[in-house]
Amino acid sequence: MERVRDVSRLPKAHLHLHFTGSMRPGTLLELAEKYGVHLPDALTSGEPPKLRATDERGWFRFQRLYDIARSCLRAPEDIQRLVREAAEEDVRDGSGWLEIQVDPTSYAPMLGGLIPALEVILDAVERASRDTGLGMRVLVAANRMKHPLEARTLARLAVRYRDRGIVGFGLSNDERRGMARDFDRAFAIARDGGLLAAPHGGELTGPSSVRDCLDDLHASRVGHGVRAAEDPRLLRQLAERGVTCEVCPSSNVALGVYETPGDVPLRTLYEAGVPMALGADDPLLFGSRLAAQYTLARRHHGFTDGELAELARQSIRGSAAPEDVRKKLLVGVDEWLASEPTEPAGS
């Protein structure tokens, strides 16, 4: 029987994981009981909720479930638990570096304000990194549904706390709302302050939103970016500039961007030379974590162990990890590939 290597032992970097969406389902249930929050059946059934966000009603339902889950994070100890458990899950999946994405304004009302909320989050990340051995940093994301002036405030705050573990600045929520160029000043503030630019684009809308991220926000990474596969010229541009796409296959299928895992254009991006970093996005809602994305690439797209190793390298190179951490992880990838396959090929 043909055997393959265990993808959970493949060193990798995780560059697309949202804060509340990283929560364990069991933790959500416990916190909801603690605070008397009624959870809809979609969050208590033990199965990922049925989602389809390609229309406004579907996106509203997805956002509503996310907001309900976030409302269960009310105290510093809840934040610490979430971050520690997210780190533990990543270590279990072979991650050596995690950049967790958060909009601190969402947690400010329950944690005493914007700055206290950010400091609670950064303290939790520092502690979880120390306790688990996982390299862990923060990417602050603005909400494109809010006014661009709020994004500028967040960008200045992110730069101010750069020495506390913030490495990048993003732009999330429904990419069909708000123009990327409306947030160009916020991204300029972030870039001038030494943060990498990693806005969302190219998931719910087409290649033009990826191009806007490049042209208007000067992105060095793009959250998702899969719709670039529809534009060969854009693919060449991404490859030539070395812009990493944070591709989240399970998320793409769960939200209805693609019908099946085999429809996600991993091969198209890979063969065009576009760097990719596979990510789990929101495991709480999509039902799978980081290693499962590599398994998906193997099962549905025929990625060999050598190609999976290259995907892991691309994730590491696209990260904000210090050079010594990158080197260590890259050596680990080579060692993984040199090891004997132990798993049945169908695993």
Side-chain angles (χ1 to χ4, degrees):
M1 177 184 294
E2 182 185 356
R3 292 188 174 273
V4 293
R5 295 162 184 84
D6 183 353
V7 293
S8 69
R9 296 181 178 274
L10 171 62
K12 54 186 78 71
H14 197 179
L15 309 184
H16 198 109
L17 181 69
H18 289 278
F19 200 77
T20 295
S22 73
M23 198 186 318
R24 291 173 177 165
T27 297
L28 174 61
L29 294 177
E30 290 180 22
L31 291 178
E33 183 177 2
K34 174 183 176 181
Y35 293 118
V37 176
H38 173 71
L39 297 177
D41 292 344
L43 292 174
T44 61
S45 67
E47 297 291 330
K50 303 296 183 184
L51 298 167
R52 192 174 189 86
T54 50
D55 58 62
E56 288 199 14
R57 181 178 179 184
W59 179 264
F60 175 80
R61 180 168 182 265
F62 164 73
Q63 191 62 52
R64 177 176 169 270
L65 292 176
Y66 197 95
D67 291 343
I68 291 170
R70 183 168 49 211
S71 74
C72 295
L73 296 166
R74 302 189 178 188
E77 56 266 28
D78 304 333
I79 300 295
Q80 290 166 7
R81 177 179 180 180
L82 177 142
V83 173
R84 184 186 71 251
E85 291 178 351
E88 291 170 350
E89 294 289 350
D90 253 42
V91 169
R92 188 175 294 118
D93 276 1
S95 173
W97 182 264
L98 169 60
E99 295 173 19
I100 195 165
Q101 186 165 160
V102 64
D103 175 0
T105 60
S106 301
Y107 306 89
M110 296 183 182
L111 295 173
L114 180 55
I115 290 177
L118 183 59
E119 291 185 346
V120 165
I121 291 165
L122 294 175
D123 286 344
V125 167
E126 182 180 10
R127 179 179 299 183
S129 181
R130 183 176 63 248
D131 291 347
T132 64
L134 175 68
M136 194 173 184
R137 298 294 186 272
V138 172
L139 191 147
V140 169
N143 186 342
R144 70 189 307 146
M145 305 285 281
K146 296 180 180 178
H147 197 281
L149 286 175
E150 293 191 31
R152 296 184 198 180
T153 298
L154 265 187
R156 293 187 185 97
L157 189 62
V159 170
R160 175 179 164 187
Y161 280 85
R162 181 186 173 197
D163 292 340
R164 289 281 307 277
I166 296 175
V167 295
F169 189 71
L171 182 65
S172 60
N173 214 302
D174 189 348
E175 66 199 60
R176 294 164 295 194
R177 300 292 187 89
M179 303 295 291
R181 63 173 174 266
D182 293 338
F183 299 88
D184 57 355
R185 182 57 192 150
F187 275 82
I189 292 168
R191 290 195 315 275
D192 290 346
L195 302 180
L196 62 84
H200 282 53
E203 185 187 31
L204 298 177
T205 53
S208 62
S209 67
V210 178
R211 195 174 297 108
D212 289 346
C213 289
L214 299 182
D215 295 344
D216 297 330
L217 305 181
H218 304 283
S220 53
R221 294 201 320 242
V222 175
H224 300 295
V226 284
R227 301 290 294 280
E230 300 164 21
D231 185 338
R233 182 179 176 185
L234 179 58
L235 286 176
R236 288 194 297 272
Q237 189 177 11
L238 289 167
E240 289 168 0
R241 293 190 185 183
V243 175
T244 298
C245 287
E246 304 160 1
V247 179
C248 307
S250 294
S251 165
N252 295 159
V253 176
L255 293 179
V257 179
Y258 299 105
E259 288 297 323
T260 70
D263 294 330
V264 181
L266 292 180
R267 273 286 169 199
T268 302
L269 292 165
Y270 185 82
E271 292 175 2
V274 177
M276 284 188 284
L278 299 187
D281 204 2
D282 295 292
L284 175 66
L285 296 176
F286 304 139
S288 62
R289 293 189 179 270
L290 181 58
Q293 312 311 311
Y294 286 78
T295 298
L296 184 152
R298 171 188 278 160
R299 287 181 178 172
H300 297 278
H301 298 274
F303 274 69
T304 65
D305 282 3
E307 290 171 327
L308 293 176
E310 178 55 26
L311 286 179
R313 293 188 191 101
Q314 290 175 6
S315 73
I316 295 162
R317 295 186 190 115
S319 76
E323 190 60 31
D324 61 328
V325 174
R326 290 191 190 198
K327 287 180 178 178
K328 180 181 178 181
L329 292 176
L330 290 170
V331 168
V333 172
D334 292 340
E335 291 174 345
W336 179 85
L337 195 56
S339 67
E340 288 295 319
T342 59
E343 303 290 312
S347 64

